[in-house]
Amino acid sequence: MVRRLRRVAPAEDLCVRFPGDEEVLGQLRADLPAISAVQDSFRRGALHEAKLLLVRQFRQRRTPRFFIGAEELDQALDAITQQYPSWRERALSRQEIAAASTPASVAQWAEIPRGPGEDQLPRDRVHHFAGAVRIARAIAYGAPREEKLQTYLDSWIAYTEATRNPDGYSSCLIAVYRAIALSWAWLFLSTSEKDTTEIEFTILRILLHDARFLAKRLGTSFANNHLLADGFALWYLGTLLPEFAGAEEWKRAGEAVWLRELRRQIYEDGTSFEHSVRYHDLACELAAAYVLLKRRNGAEPEDWVIERLRRMLEFQAELSGPETATLAQGDGVEGAMFALDGFDALASSAPREILRALFAPDCPPPQSDARGSERAFWLLGGRLAPPPREPAAGAFRAFPDGGYFVFPETDPATRLVLRTGPAPEAAVMPGHMHADLHSVCLNLAGHAVIADPGTYTYRSCEGNWPAGTPPWRAHLRGAGAHSGFCLDGLDPLGPRSGDFPLTPIQSRAVGRACRSGAVLAWVESAIAGQTAYAGHRRGVVHVRGGYWLCYDVLPQAAGAGRAWIQYQLARDARLDARGARAFLVECAGQRLWIAASEAAGECSILCGSHAPLAGWLSERYGQLEPAPMLRMAVDGSHSLIATLLMAGAAVQSAPQVEALGIGGTGYGFRVTCGDRQDYLLLNADPDGKEISAWGINFAGALLLLRCQGGAARRIGWLDGTRVTVDAQRIVVEARSGALRELELRAETGGIATSGCAADQVSITGLVVPMDATRTDTD
């Protein structure tokens, strides 16, 4: 795995020589009438004239078509000036100019520093050429940067040709990034009023060399996102450069690899076998570009590709919400494949905008001026889909192949994501996967409150770090950094070593329950495998407008060593104890109560701790900051523990939660908040069997009974047939078979029914409040 990042073929002593002017012109196809004038000039030895004619041909041709043509650029730039002026302002800002400060000499290219732990990645990323796009984009917006771009390209060529095994060719993936970046820089240059023939021809020299480089090595990259990207890029270059000999073979061979790997690496639910949201984002960008460019050139991709793209875009959009706060689970490193907006972090506004344009016009658009939208604007041909008149409301979404479940509130910017883990039958490439099985993340009003810990570094070799440095790589990808259940010192994926462990993972997620309705949703998963985590179950119940309840059924190993339920909070979160097992979190103007059942033992708050190593966040690759973590000890004397996550400024007193097991597949939970009590009864294997707790008897999968002032005010269920409440003599029964969803509210004026028709259920004993004030404000 290290070899795939540093050297394409370690036995090869690679020296790079870029094609000169004559070699480029000599590689043109002799059978194309469109470039006959170019070839005539070349045969006469008029090289400058031939170069000028070739550059003009690329600017003026109508086929093949790019995402946006040179003739369409002025209109697109006018639209930006009128509709999105901040994009232009950002592109020309001091911050953007500083970001585009690129090496301008051989010495500067050679002196690019490594990152922490002698990480080569910061050096490699400069060779992705995002800086070239920044400069060319600024030219399109009116800045005189042509000379800067020429110096940038010339100095890079000189450095690369003078260096044995140069960084820019240590991985095919670097060449993929660079080829895509240069194709867009080439487009943006067409707006320049200066003579940019030499710059454009220099770009052509690099593109021709990189196409040959990728063609020669196609199939040698590691068989994950690297190989996927190689296939795409070779198809891409073959599509865009048909004037060159070999382009048809690049296109054919690249597309075959791309489609094979897309089908193999992306599950049917749209998630990825790498189990990293960042690398899924990379594949999603490529899939969107493939479909858009194929259609732009009059070809329709196969149906399965369209469906796979739709699901990939939905996955990115659901995880990020309309505020596009990307959840970077698994390994994550910044750097967009299509770096068209000067924003190198994850930007899920781009897939959300593409989803709206291609598949879901009623999807809520990203929040105003979201970073990443400009990327979608260019890919979509210089336009974005108009906002919908009535945006669709957020709804529970399941991605069971990859093991992601999204529980949004009415405002989809507030949502909990449960990460269960790979399904038993799913192929898994574990190099970029974290031990985040059964973890949760929570956003409130667009702000991460329970956060993913991030990555920080890919380097795990102790010899590359100063003495005494904590094992950051192992910690941040391990169970101890995530918000879930942790057995001290043990990894649910099994023993792992090295930067990118490739040993098969030893745990899988086995789903037992997945049910949802308009108000209630419930998912339960169990870990199966050959680790101490086997038998651990985690479930999440969401009562929309109220709370999320997480419960854990502990494995046998929890009684043999140190074990915790833990929640990693955002960097700016404040955590205060409000009782033995209740905590108030305040973060970005939001409030969240965390309350645990009686099984929770000693609770501790760790922030920036080295012993034990806990309470750290890496919001961007290469950066690390302390952040509070709540840790609650558990032991084998209890088999079930519940944690309540209740948001809202209106909740003034600490809520309480009680938990009990009912048989082998049922659970009961009582949530108390002020004078209100909620009873939740769950049965993962109902099969008509009735479960009972607190004098409540229920036949079905999930029941919510809400009482206020000692009287029942709300009853809801999923897949239920009957509920009785002994103390209040309430009987609610489906008239004919199980009802998938039921919602009853006792309100002044009568009993409101939703989820089913009123005549489908019989109701006895549910009392209507006598006063005119509504008793249930949730």
Coordinates of all heavy atoms in Angstrom, one line a residue, residues 269 275 329 398-407 417-424 433-440 492-493 505 507-514 523-528 536-540:
D269 N -26.6 0.6 -3.2 CA -27.2 1.7 -2.4 C -26.5 3.1 -2.6 O -26.9 4.1 -2.0 CB -27.4 1.4 -0.9 CG -26.1 1.3 -0.2 OD1 -25.0 1.5 -0.8 OD2 -26.2 1.1 1.1
H275 N -15.5 2.7 2.5 CA -16.1 3.2 3.7 C -15.4 4.4 4.2 O -15.0 4.6 5.4 CB -16.0 2.0 4.8 CG -16.9 0.9 4.4 ND1 -18.3 0.8 4.7 CD2 -16.7 -0.2 3.6 CE1 -18.8 -0.2 4.2 NE2 -17.9 -0.9 3.5
Q329 N -16.5 10.8 7.6 CA -16.2 9.5 8.3 C -15.2 8.7 7.4 O -15.3 8.8 6.2 CB -17.5 8.7 8.5 CG -18.4 9.3 9.6 CD -19.6 8.5 9.9 OE1 -20.2 8.0 9.0 NE2 -20.0 8.4 11.1
A398 N -32.0 5.3 4.6 CA -31.2 4.1 4.9 C -30.3 3.8 3.7 O -30.7 3.7 2.6 CB -32.1 2.9 5.2
F399 N -29.0 3.5 4.1 CA -28.0 3.1 3.1 C -27.4 1.8 3.7 O -26.3 1.8 4.2 CB -26.9 4.1 2.8 CG -27.5 5.4 2.3 CD1 -27.9 6.4 3.1 CD2 -27.7 5.6 0.9 CE1 -28.4 7.6 2.6 CE2 -28.2 6.8 0.4 CZ -28.6 7.8 1.3
P400 N -28.1 0.7 3.6 CA -27.8 -0.5 4.4 C -26.5 -1.2 3.9 O -25.8 -1.9 4.7 CB -29.0 -1.4 4.3 CG -29.7 -1.0 3.0 CD -29.4 0.5 2.9
D401 N -26.2 -1.2 2.6 CA -25.0 -1.8 2.1 C -23.7 -1.3 2.8 O -22.8 -2.0 3.2 CB -24.9 -1.8 0.6 CG -26.1 -2.5 -0.1 OD1 -26.7 -3.4 0.5 OD2 -26.4 -2.1 -1.2
G402 N -23.7 0.1 2.8 CA -22.5 0.7 3.4 C -22.7 0.9 4.9 O -21.7 1.1 5.6
G403 N -23.9 0.8 5.4 CA -24.2 1.0 6.9 C -24.2 2.4 7.3 O -23.5 2.8 8.3
Y404 N -25.1 3.2 6.7 CA -25.3 4.6 7.1 C -26.8 4.8 7.2 O -27.6 4.5 6.3 CB -24.7 5.6 6.1 CG -23.2 5.5 6.0 CD1 -22.7 4.6 5.0 CD2 -22.4 6.2 6.7 CE1 -21.3 4.5 4.8 CE2 -21.0 6.1 6.5 CZ -20.5 5.3 5.6 OH -19.1 5.2 5.4
F405 N -27.3 5.4 8.3 CA -28.7 5.7 8.5 C -28.8 7.1 9.0 O -28.2 7.5 9.9 CB -29.3 4.7 9.5 CG -29.2 3.3 9.0 CD1 -28.0 2.5 9.3 CD2 -30.2 2.7 8.3 CE1 -27.9 1.2 8.9 CE2 -30.1 1.4 7.9 CZ -29.0 0.6 8.1
V406 N -29.7 7.9 8.3 CA -29.8 9.3 8.6 C -31.2 9.6 9.2 O -32.2 9.3 8.6 CB -29.7 10.2 7.3 CG1 -29.7 11.6 7.6 CG2 -28.3 9.8 6.6
F407 N -31.2 10.2 10.4 CA -32.4 10.5 11.1 C -32.6 12.1 11.1 O -32.1 12.7 12.1 CB -32.4 10.0 12.5 CG -32.2 8.5 12.6 CD1 -31.0 7.9 12.5 CD2 -33.3 7.7 12.9 CE1 -30.8 6.6 12.7 CE2 -33.1 6.3 13.0 CZ -31.9 5.7 12.9
V417 N -26.7 10.9 12.4 CA -26.3 9.8 11.4 C -25.7 8.7 12.3 O -24.8 8.8 13.1 CB -25.2 10.3 10.5 CG1 -24.7 9.2 9.6 CG2 -25.7 11.5 9.6
L418 N -26.3 7.5 12.1 CA -25.8 6.3 12.7 C -25.0 5.5 11.7 O -25.5 5.2 10.6 CB -27.0 5.4 13.1 CG -26.7 3.9 13.6 CD1 -25.8 3.9 14.8 CD2 -28.0 3.1 13.8
R419 N -23.8 5.2 12.0 CA -22.9 4.4 11.2 C -22.8 3.0 11.8 O -22.3 2.8 12.8 CB -21.5 5.1 11.2 CG -20.4 4.2 10.8 CD -20.4 3.8 9.3 NE -19.1 3.2 9.0 CZ -19.0 2.3 8.0 NH1 -20.0 1.9 7.4 NH2 -17.8 1.8 7.7
T420 N -23.5 2.1 11.1 CA -23.5 0.7 11.6 C -22.2 0.0 11.2 O -21.5 -0.6 12.0 CB -24.7 -0.1 11.2 OG1 -24.8 -0.1 9.8 CG2 -26.0 0.6 11.8
G421 N -22.0 -0.1 9.9 CA -20.8 -0.8 9.4 C -21.2 -1.6 8.2 O -22.3 -1.7 7.8
P422 N -20.2 -2.2 7.6 CA -20.4 -3.0 6.3 C -21.3 -4.2 6.6 O -21.2 -4.9 7.6 CB -19.0 -3.4 5.9 CG -18.0 -2.6 6.7 CD -18.7 -2.3 8.0
A423 N -22.2 -4.4 5.6 CA -23.0 -5.6 5.7 C -22.2 -6.9 5.5 O -21.1 -6.8 4.9 CB -24.1 -5.5 4.6
P424 N -22.7 -8.0 6.0 CA -21.9 -9.3 5.9 C -21.4 -9.6 4.6 O -20.3 -10.1 4.4 CB -22.8 -10.3 6.5 CG -23.7 -9.5 7.4 CD -23.9 -8.2 6.7
M433 N -10.6 2.8 5.9 CA -11.7 2.6 6.8 C -11.3 2.9 8.2 O -10.2 2.5 8.7 CB -12.3 1.2 6.6 CG -13.5 0.9 7.4 SD -14.1 -0.8 7.1 CE -15.4 -0.9 8.4
H434 N -12.2 3.5 9.0 CA -12.0 3.7 10.4 C -12.8 2.7 11.2 O -13.8 2.1 10.7 CB -12.4 5.1 10.9 CG -11.4 6.1 10.4 ND1 -11.5 7.5 10.8 CD2 -10.3 6.0 9.6 CE1 -10.5 8.1 10.3 NE2 -9.7 7.3 9.5
A435 N -12.4 2.4 12.5 CA -13.2 1.5 13.4 C -14.3 2.3 14.0 O -14.4 2.4 15.2 CB -12.3 1.0 14.4
D436 N -15.3 2.8 13.1 CA -16.4 3.6 13.6 C -17.7 2.9 13.6 O -18.8 3.5 13.6 CB -16.5 4.9 12.7 CG -16.6 4.5 11.2 OD1 -16.7 3.3 10.9 OD2 -16.5 5.4 10.4
L437 N -17.6 1.5 13.8 CA -18.8 0.7 13.8 C -19.7 1.1 15.0 O -19.2 1.3 16.1 CB -18.5 -0.8 13.9 CG -18.2 -1.5 12.5 CD1 -17.0 -0.9 11.9 CD2 -18.1 -3.0 12.8
H438 N -21.0 1.3 14.7 CA -22.0 1.7 15.7 C -21.7 3.0 16.4 O -22.1 3.3 17.5 CB -22.1 0.6 16.8 CG -22.7 -0.7 16.4 ND1 -22.9 -1.7 17.2 CD2 -23.3 -1.0 15.2 CE1 -23.5 -2.7 16.5 NE2 -23.7 -2.3 15.3
S439 N -21.1 4.0 15.6 CA -20.9 5.3 16.1 C -22.0 6.2 15.6 O -22.7 5.9 14.6 CB -19.6 5.8 15.7 OG -19.5 6.0 14.3
V440 N -22.2 7.4 16.2 CA -23.1 8.4 15.8 C -22.5 9.7 15.7 O -21.5 10.0 16.3 CB -24.3 8.5 16.8 CG1 -25.1 7.2 16.8 CG2 -23.9 8.9 18.2
P492 N -12.6 -3.2 16.8 CA -13.6 -4.1 16.3 C -13.2 -4.7 14.9 O -13.8 -5.7 14.5 CB -14.8 -3.3 16.2 CG -14.4 -1.9 16.2 CD -13.1 -1.9 17.0
L493 N -12.3 -4.0 14.2 CA -11.9 -4.5 12.9 C -10.8 -5.5 12.9 O -10.5 -6.1 11.9 CB -11.5 -3.3 12.0 CG -12.5 -2.2 11.8 CD1 -12.0 -1.2 10.8 CD2 -13.8 -2.8 11.3
I505 N -11.3 -7.2 7.5 CA -11.8 -6.8 8.8 C -12.6 -8.0 9.4 O -13.1 -8.9 8.7 CB -12.8 -5.6 8.6 CG1 -14.0 -6.0 7.7 CG2 -12.1 -4.4 8.0 CD1 -15.0 -5.0 7.6
S507 N -15.1 -7.7 11.8 CA -16.4 -7.5 12.3 C -17.3 -7.0 11.1 O -16.9 -6.3 10.2 CB -16.4 -6.4 13.3 OG -15.8 -6.8 14.5
R508 N -18.6 -7.4 11.2 CA -19.6 -6.9 10.2 C -20.8 -6.5 11.0 O -21.0 -6.9 12.1 CB -19.9 -8.0 9.2 CG -18.8 -8.5 8.3 CD -18.3 -7.4 7.3 NE -17.3 -7.9 6.5 CZ -17.3 -7.7 5.1 NH1 -18.3 -7.2 4.6 NH2 -16.3 -8.1 4.4
A509 N -21.6 -5.7 10.3 CA -22.9 -5.2 10.9 C -24.0 -6.0 10.4 O -24.3 -6.1 9.2 CB -23.1 -3.7 10.6
V510 N -24.8 -6.6 11.3 CA -25.9 -7.4 11.0 C -27.2 -6.7 11.4 O -27.4 -6.4 12.6 CB -25.9 -8.8 11.7 CG1 -27.1 -9.6 11.2 CG2 -24.6 -9.5 11.3
G511 N -28.0 -6.2 10.4 CA -29.2 -5.5 10.7 C -30.3 -6.3 11.3 O -30.5 -7.4 10.9
R512 N -31.0 -5.9 12.4 CA -32.1 -6.6 13.0 C -33.4 -5.8 12.9 O -34.5 -6.4 12.9 CB -31.8 -6.8 14.5 CG -30.7 -7.8 14.7 CD -30.5 -8.2 16.2 NE -31.4 -7.6 17.1 CZ -32.0 -8.3 18.1 NH1 -31.9 -9.6 18.1 NH2 -32.8 -7.7 19.0
A513 N -33.3 -4.5 12.8 CA -34.5 -3.7 12.6 C -34.2 -2.4 11.8 O -33.1 -1.8 12.0 CB -35.0 -3.3 14.0
C514 N -35.1 -2.1 10.9 CA -35.0 -0.8 10.2 C -36.4 -0.5 9.8 O -37.0 -1.0 8.8 CB -34.1 -1.0 9.0 SG -33.9 0.6 8.0
V523 N -33.6 1.9 14.0 CA -32.6 1.1 13.4 C -31.9 0.3 14.5 O -31.5 1.0 15.5 CB -31.6 1.8 12.5 CG1 -30.5 0.9 12.1 CG2 -32.3 2.4 11.3
E524 N -31.7 -1.0 14.4 CA -30.8 -1.7 15.3 C -29.9 -2.6 14.5 O -30.2 -3.1 13.5 CB -31.7 -2.6 16.2 CG -30.8 -3.4 17.2 CD -31.5 -4.3 18.1 OE1 -32.3 -3.8 18.9 OE2 -31.3 -5.5 18.0
S525 N -28.7 -2.6 15.0 CA -27.6 -3.4 14.3 C -26.8 -4.2 15.4 O -26.7 -3.7 16.5 CB -26.7 -2.4 13.5 OG -25.5 -3.1 13.1
A526 N -26.3 -5.3 14.9 CA -25.5 -6.2 15.8 C -24.2 -6.4 15.1 O -24.1 -6.5 13.9 CB -26.2 -7.5 16.2
I527 N -23.1 -6.5 15.9 CA -21.8 -6.8 15.4 C -21.6 -8.3 15.4 O -21.8 -9.0 16.5 CB -20.7 -6.1 16.1 CG1 -20.7 -4.6 15.9 CG2 -19.3 -6.7 15.8 CD1 -19.6 -3.8 16.6
A528 N -21.2 -8.9 14.3 CA -20.9 -10.3 14.2 C -19.4 -10.4 13.7 O -19.0 -9.6 12.9 CB -21.8 -11.0 13.2
H536 N -22.3 -7.1 20.4 CA -22.7 -5.8 20.7 C -23.8 -5.3 19.8 O -23.7 -5.5 18.6 CB -21.5 -4.8 20.6 CG -21.9 -3.4 20.8 ND1 -21.9 -2.4 19.8 CD2 -22.5 -2.7 21.9 CE1 -22.3 -1.3 20.3 NE2 -22.7 -1.4 21.6
R537 N -24.8 -4.8 20.3 CA -25.9 -4.2 19.5 C -26.1 -2.7 19.9 O -26.0 -2.3 21.0 CB -27.3 -4.9 19.9 CG -27.3 -6.4 19.5 CD -28.7 -6.9 19.9 NE -28.7 -8.4 20.0 CZ -29.6 -9.1 20.6 NH1 -30.6 -8.4 21.2 NH2 -29.6 -10.4 20.7
R538 N -26.4 -2.0 18.9 CA -26.7 -0.6 19.1 C -28.0 -0.3 18.3 O -28.1 -0.7 17.1 CB -25.6 0.4 18.7 CG -26.1 1.8 18.6 CD -25.0 2.8 18.7 NE -24.6 3.1 20.1 CZ -23.9 4.2 20.5 NH1 -23.6 5.1 19.6 NH2 -23.6 4.3 21.8
G539 N -28.9 0.4 18.9 CA -30.1 0.8 18.2 C -30.3 2.3 18.4 O -29.8 2.9 19.4
V540 N -31.0 2.9 17.5 CA -31.3 4.4 17.6 C -32.8 4.5 17.3 O -33.3 3.9 16.3 CB -30.6 5.2 16.6 CG1 -31.1 6.7 16.6 CG2 -29.1 5.3 17.0

